[in-house]
Amino acid sequence: MPHHVNIALPIPARRTFTYTVPDDADVQCGMRALVPFGKRTLTGIIVETHAPSLAEAKPVHEILDVIPVFDATMLEFTKWMSDYYLASWGETLHAALPQGMTPESVISVSLTAPLDDRQLQEMARHAPKRAALLVALERHKGPLHVSTLQRALQSDSVASQLDALEHAGLVTISREIHGRAKAKTQKAVSLSADIRSDHDKLRALLDELDSRAPVQARIISVLSLHHRRSEEPMVVAELVKSAKAQTASIQTLVDKGICEEHVVEVQRRGDSDGAESLAHRDETALPLHAEQQHASDVIADALSSGQQKTFLLHGITGSGKTLVYMHAIRKARELGKSALVLVPEISLTPQLIDRFRMTFGNDIAVIHSRMSPGERYDTWRAIAGGRISIVLGVRSALFAPIASCGLIIVDEEHESSYKQDSPSPRYHARDSAVMRGVLNHAVVILGSATPSMESMYNAQTGKYHLLELHHRSDNAVLPTVRLIDVRDARKRKKMSGAFSDELLDEIKKRVAANEGVLLLQNRRGFSPRLECGDCGHIPTCNQCSVALTYHKHTNLLRCHYCGSTRPALKSCAECGSAEMAEVGVGTQRAEEELQELMERDGVKARIARVDLDSTSTKGSFRKLLTDFKNGSTDILIGTKMIAKGLDIDRVTLVGVINADLQLYVPDFRSTERTFQLLTQVAGRAGRSGSFKGEVLIQTGHPTHTALLASQLHDYHMMYNDELQHRREAVYPPYSRFVVIELTSTDMQMVDAHAQHLCFALPRTHPALQVLGPTRPMMDKLRGQFRRVIIIKNRKAEDPGGNILRHAISTALQHYRDRHAHSNVRVTVDVDSQSAV
Ligand code: ADP
Ligand code: ZN
Ligand code: ZN
């Protein structure tokens, strides 16, 4: 008699599915199973082993594990996550599994050691399929591809046998593409090096091709966008799709020498091996200062007592939070527990990793986005096997299979990159970390110099325990902050381009004294756009509803999302005014402008730029930092990449070129985010007792709370002021902010569907405020129309969020039963971080 199991499948449907397994099969919850689903075969996770029987249940193809890949806690955790974020459990479990854990990821198999005859005979008796597999491998004398093995054994799948044999150490499985011979290769192209390195040349080329050969222009646009993110060439198939082009047009560009052809295998490399370390000492040897000592003691007590507690560690920049983390980790290890450290973005925190490596050596696994499936798999196994006691990684490291997880640290907890946008589950790694802490009975530390409104509110209301560090370590003091009113300076003719004379003077002084200068311009590239001086109209893309970038010398407007162009008009399309003016300065323009101004004033300054474009190659960010740290560069000018976590003694001046970029975007978090960015970047100055720091912030709004609070280093001023607004407008922390988004290529359809769905939501419930449907700021993206419904879920009326979840699930069900159509996509984002 077969029995029934319930399996969570990686599809959006928010339910599990019943299958049968043979009665003698050893099945446990948390094991992977290969199952038929319609015409497809899916890998799901067994979540219930004694399910009620169901007549039409199909048998599973295969159980893929001998020991579960998820333990009971991780099953509970992912279940919670899928409930809270309204995702399917199967999708959530799928997100929690590293790539490389699917049977398809196995590339080749070889024998670990020559076979022992007796062992083989033994096995032939109780596991004939495994034995046959070993014999096939032995006969071949070399690694074999899985499909070859399957053919040799006349079997559809050998995944479970392989898994068992790998566990027993009898076979070695390779999950990576090694030699070229076995690697699958693809054709790819890149922009030729001279065009990539020369922005003007690129622009000239684009402008030339725009009218004559728009398809070629589009290909170049797509490629140059691609190169901002990656050094690697772009796979031709991908390029054809993104640029809506034929391979013939690509070939033309190759023939002209504008593009270069490559043959690639998709392979990723590790992070920082062999590079110069950005850390120089084991910091745990330093004596703690009084506040650090107190925080460490309190945390150590919680760890020893084994109680679950969540701390908010609010420590000003340079107060030594990292050292508190390190002591907590050391304590956890003494108690035989493992630690999980989450950071917002690995590539932006090379220094933090080096500091941890310097202190903990190799007992630390770093999980980052550039890992290959093979590396991921190996790391996952090493962690699950308890061979590593510290895991440091980005958002997804939250799912690391740490068995005795006693400590979870979320560094820079206010960072919005902790929120997953897409795909589902759209979880917030910080809030989920707190939940994982609860389930693991672990101590959780959320650390920041500028805590999120939500976390501080939780601390103020007693849900979290607040620990504060008010002083900098090592006799350093906070820098003085000066606000420069650019509107006033411009009137008094004290501005050259984007730079005030005041800021230029300070820069020159520091360069002369051989001290470091950091300049923040939180916008990439040149990005000038046109704006009407009378009515404020900004020309936007028809496909994407984003501001078009202005290309001066050809007088064209170009969209950076889809590559389309149109001529720039002299007069405003809205009001007819002739006051269309170029506005906006990106990092690249700012760098050029500064270089010119320094030359004008006879100052020799070595300037380097830090943004996504200049750091796309592996190790380039690290190199820029090393040069700056040892004084071969005087000035780093960059996006918010330079605001995060840098700890470099010689920085005595931080300048903010335009503090207002984020201030007036229609986002209820804009004050909070501006304050966070300014405080973080200001915190890079004067971090050592031997250098005093100064910060100059250029703004048109010197009396705005975000600016004033930054000037006074007064987090609580911002917090209290902002809290008032949030309460009045029922925004977080007083509510859960939920965004339901509908997208479609058909505008009428998306409008109608948004209405239908909105109509199905309760309109008068005191716990729910439903707004919309409305057009978001970007109401069209790459040809997809977007509509949003916003729900503010009052926490006072619905503390656990049950009313919210019930309302949305019911409405979605109603919508699916009556209206759903494949041309309209609906997504739900609980605790959304995006501006709409
Ligand atoms: P935060 O993360 O709070 O901004 P860091 O942990 O980066 O601060 O510490 C800032 C600097 O002060 C680092 O160089 C660190 O090594 C140093 N530091 C921290 N605590 C101490 C201490 N107790 N004694 C001496 N130096 C310290
Ligand atoms: Zn106008
Ligand atoms: Zn566009």
Side-chain angles (χ1 to χ4, degrees):
M1 254 299 275
H3 73 272
H4 290 76
V5 295
N6 278 344
I7 296 186
L9 295 175
I11 53 172
R14 291 184 52 216
R15 46 170 288 223
T16 57
F17 295 83
T18 305
Y19 288 89
T20 62
V21 291
D23 202 25
D24 59 344
D26 173 27
V27 285
Q28 295 172 43
C29 284
M31 286 179 170
R32 292 169 304 154
L34 209 59
V35 301
F37 187 76
K39 289 199 182 86
R40 293 187 287 168
T41 302
L42 296 175
T43 306
I45 305 292
I46 298 171
V47 293
E48 205 181 326
T49 47
H50 293 89
S53 53
L54 186 75
E56 66 267 30
K58 295 210 179 84
V60 299
H61 284 325
E62 207 178 346
I63 306 292
L64 295 175
D65 292 304
V66 277
I67 46 171
V69 290
F70 291 106
D71 64 16
T73 310
M74 285 312 278
L75 286 176
E76 198 181 345
F77 176 54
T78 48
K79 178 76 170 74
W80 167 83
M81 186 182 268
S82 62
D83 287 342
Y84 186 87
Y85 293 103
L86 294 160
S88 87
W89 194 3
E91 283 177 319
T92 309
L93 287 162
H94 185 74
L97 270 184
Q99 293 165 288
M101 286 298 279
T102 48
E104 306 84 71
S105 66
V106 173
I107 304 290
S108 71
V109 188
S110 53
L111 285 179
T112 309
L115 285 178
D116 171 337
D117 276 345
R118 244 206 352 235
Q119 209 180 350
L120 197 60
Q121 279 163 17
E122 170 83 0
M123 187 178 293
R125 241 173 292 133
H126 73 262
K129 213 168 158 190
R130 283 179 218 171
L133 205 149
L134 289 176
V135 171
L137 280 172
E138 173 155 68
R139 204 170 296 143
H140 183 73
K141 298 194 175 41
L144 266 183
H145 195 273
V146 180
S147 57
T148 319
L149 270 176
Q150 284 169 352
R151 250 177 282 126
L153 299 180
Q154 296 176 341
S155 159
D156 282 345
S157 169
V158 292
S160 63
Q161 285 77 26
L162 283 179
D163 206 53
L165 289 170
E166 189 184 24
H167 268 289
L170 292 169
V171 302
T172 306
I173 290 179
S174 160
R175 291 176 173 79
E176 283 184 72
I177 299 157
H178 280 306
R180 267 193 180 273
K182 265 176 261 74
K184 213 173 111 188
T185 56
Q186 275 173 300
K187 256 186 130 162
V189 290
S190 63
L191 277 182
S192 76
D194 59 321
I195 294 173
R196 268 160 73 182
S197 59
D198 186 342
H199 198 272
D200 286 338
K201 202 162 170 181
L202 174 64
R203 261 201 305 186
L205 184 65
L206 280 174
D207 293 333
E208 183 208 320
L209 288 175
D210 264 327
S211 47
R212 268 199 316 109
V215 178
Q216 290 179 27
R218 219 155 54 219
I219 293 171
I220 296 172
S221 288
V222 170
L223 271 177
S224 85
L225 264 176
H226 167 83
H227 285 311
R228 286 191 197 178
R229 278 173 274 118
S230 163
E231 254 308 85
E232 318 283 340
M234 188 170 182
V235 174
V236 169
E238 255 180 78
L239 179 57
V240 165
K241 221 163 92 196
S242 311
K244 300 200 190 61
Q246 305 278 316
T247 42
S249 313
I250 299 174
Q251 193 57 47
T252 312
L253 289 171
V254 171
D255 295 342
K256 284 198 218 165
I258 293 169
C259 293
E260 286 161 5
E261 265 186 289
H262 306 261
V263 175
V264 294
E265 50 192 69
V266 189
Q267 183 175 8
R268 298 282 177 171
R269 301 158 296 192
D271 75 331
S272 66
D273 320 294
E276 186 181 338
S277 177
L278 288 159
H280 48 280
R281 55 182 173 184
D282 171 358
E283 291 174 66
T284 46
L286 297 168
L288 295 177
H289 63 69
E291 288 177 327
Q292 283 174 322
Q293 189 65 57
H294 171 72
S296 291
D297 289 347
V298 175
I299 293 167
D301 282 348
L303 282 166
S304 314
S305 72
Q307 295 166 17
Q308 200 290 315
K309 260 197 179 151
T310 299
F311 295 97
L312 175 61
L313 178 62
H314 173 211
I316 61 166
T317 55
S319 57
K321 291 182 290 296
T322 315
L323 210 57
V324 175
Y325 301 155
M326 288 173 175
H327 278 266
I329 294 171
R330 219 169 56 173
K331 181 73 189 177
R333 286 213 299 185
E334 278 168 24
L335 295 165
K337 295 175 184 170
S338 298
L340 170 63
V341 184
L342 297 182
V343 297
E345 267 166 280
I346 290 282
S347 59
L348 299 186
T349 43
Q351 200 176 16
L352 188 77
I353 295 171
D354 288 358
R355 288 169 73 184
F356 272 87
R357 281 240 157 88
M358 198 57 106
T359 302
F360 296 110
N362 285 330
D363 188 20
I364 179 164
V366 177
I367 297 180
H368 54 90
S369 55
R370 290 191 179 195
M371 283 170 122
S372 67
E375 282 175 314
R376 267 172 214 277
Y377 178 87
D378 293 346
T379 310
W380 209 85
R381 283 284 190 216
I383 297 167
R387 275 170 278 144
I388 282 171
S389 60
I390 306 169
V391 177
L392 188 150
V394 291
R395 187 170 68 215
S396 63
L398 179 62
F399 300 113
I402 308 169
S404 53
C405 182
L407 174 66
I408 303 177
I409 294 168
V410 184
D411 189 27
E412 308 291 359
E413 65 85 29
H414 63 278
E415 281 287 336
S416 55
S417 56
Y418 281 124
K419 185 68 167 38
Q420 163 127 328
D421 270 339
S422 202
S424 181
R426 297 177 172 79
Y427 64 99
H428 200 304
R430 172 197 64 217
D431 302 337
S432 303
V434 173
M435 192 53 173
R436 181 162 182 189
V438 170
L439 296 172
N440 275 137
H441 307 289
V443 167
V444 180
I445 307 173
L446 311 179
S448 175
T450 52
S452 61
M453 293 296 295
E454 289 88 340
S455 294
M456 183 52 86
Y457 184 75
N458 281 333
Q460 300 287 8
T461 52
K463 196 169 159 197
Y464 301 163
H465 301 259
L466 185 61
L467 294 170
E468 296 205 285
L469 308 176
H470 303 90
H471 303 286
R472 282 196 155 179
S473 308
D474 209 11
N475 296 320
V477 287
L478 280 173
T480 51
V481 179
R482 249 194 285 165
L483 301 181
I484 301 173
D485 184 338
V486 286
R487 290 204 257 202
D488 177 60
R490 196 151 271 140
K491 256 187 243 141
R492 293 189 291 115
K493 301 258 179 293
K494 299 255 181 248
M495 293 285 287
S496 311
F499 294 88
S500 63
D501 292 358
E502 228 176 320
L503 179 55
L504 285 173
D505 284 346
E506 289 300 332
I507 295 174
K508 284 183 256 176
K509 267 192 235 161
R510 310 299 159 142
V511 172
N514 198 24
E515 295 170 359
V517 177
L518 283 178
L519 294 175
L520 174 77
Q521 176 65 348
N522 201 19
R523 180 187 279 161
R524 270 159 70 193
F526 282 73
S527 332
R529 54 194 165 83
L530 292 183
E531 190 173 317
C532 173
D534 283 333
C535 77
H537 168 70
I538 298 167
T540 52
C541 173
N542 300 333
Q543 289 289 310
C544 307
S545 68
V546 294
L548 292 164
T549 301
Y550 180 49
H551 292 248
K552 202 170 184 171
H553 55 289
T554 49
N555 204 37
L556 281 176
L557 294 168
R558 172 185 305 281
C559 173
H560 273 192
Y561 283 84
C562 71
S564 66
T565 57
R566 68 169 121 118
L569 301 175
K570 290 266 174 316
S571 52
C572 174
E574 283 292 313
C575 74
S577 154
E579 294 289 310
M580 291 304 284
E582 192 183 343
V583 291
V585 176
T587 41
Q588 210 169 332
R589 168 80 76 82
E591 182 194 10
E592 284 182 15
E593 217 172 274
L594 184 65
Q595 193 77 57
E596 279 163 24
L597 291 168
M598 290 290 122
E599 276 163 25
R600 179 194 72 183
D601 298 346
V603 177
K604 264 205 128 49
R606 291 156 301 177
I607 308 176
R609 179 167 49 87
V610 175
D611 55 22
L612 277 184
D613 306 322
S614 72
T615 55
S616 58
T617 58
K618 186 190 160 210
S620 48
F621 187 34
R622 180 177 281 276
K623 172 88 170 61
L624 286 169
L625 291 185
T626 312
D627 287 350
F628 183 61
K629 196 174 156 95
N630 65 29
S632 352
T633 315
D634 301 303
I635 303 173
L636 275 191
I637 185 164
T639 57
K640 65 175 178 224
M641 290 175 78
I642 62 166
K644 293 177 183 172
L646 287 195
D647 182 34
I648 295 176
D649 283 358
R650 58 184 287 273
V651 176
T652 58
L653 176 68
V654 166
V656 177
I657 298 173
N658 182 354
D660 308 336
L661 289 175
Q662 205 166 28
L663 213 45
Y664 288 100
V665 295
D667 175 1
F668 70 87
R669 289 191 172 88
S670 62
T671 298
E672 179 185 5
R673 294 233 162 103
T674 300
F675 173 80
Q676 284 163 348
L677 180 61
L678 294 178
T679 303
Q680 294 288 346
V681 73
R684 303 309 114 205
R687 290 173 72 89
S688 134
S690 27
F691 296 94
K692 247 195 85 41
E694 190 168 25
V695 180
L696 267 63
I697 300 178
Q698 301 192 141
T699 172
H701 307 276
T703 56
H704 192 289
T705 311
L707 274 299
L708 283 179
S710 306
Q711 181 180 28
L712 301 171
H713 302 291
D714 193 344
Y715 171 83
H716 289 282
M717 171 182 175
M718 187 284 297
Y719 174 77
N720 290 322
D721 193 74
E722 186 61 12
L723 199 63
Q724 187 86 25
H725 292 297
R726 302 280 180 96
R727 184 185 294 125
E728 283 159 13
V730 201
Y731 278 122
Y734 294 97
S735 67
R736 289 181 195 85
F737 186 70
V738 183
V739 177
I740 303 179
E741 183 185 313
L742 296 96
T743 53
S744 172
T745 50
D746 183 327
M747 183 161 88
Q748 267 155 6
M749 215 157 153
V750 82
D751 274 326
H753 281 232
Q755 292 287 356
H756 289 317
L757 182 52
C758 204
F759 204 67
L761 287 161
R763 284 293 186 161
T764 52
H765 199 291
L768 305 170
Q769 189 180 336
V770 179
L771 306 167
T774 53
R775 294 174 171 226
M777 207 177 23
M778 273 198 239
D779 63 357
K780 200 176 174 197
L781 204 57
R782 294 188 194 89
Q784 294 272 337
F785 294 94
R786 305 170 64 222
R787 296 294 180 265
V788 294
I789 299 166
I790 289 166
I791 304 176
K792 294 184 199 169
N793 174 216
R794 288 193 182 82
K795 286 191 191 166
E797 270 87 18
D798 185 15
N802 290 328
I803 298 170
L804 171 81
R805 288 189 286 276
H806 182 256
I808 295 182
S809 306
T810 313
L812 281 174
Q813 195 54 53
H814 172 96
Y815 167 79
R816 274 194 206 106
D817 292 345
R818 290 176 183 71
H819 310 285
H821 188 280
S822 60
N823 194 17
V824 181
R825 216 174 96 90
V826 181
T827 59
V828 181
D829 187 4
V830 177
D831 293 338
S832 174
Q833 294 284 310
S834 49
V836 287

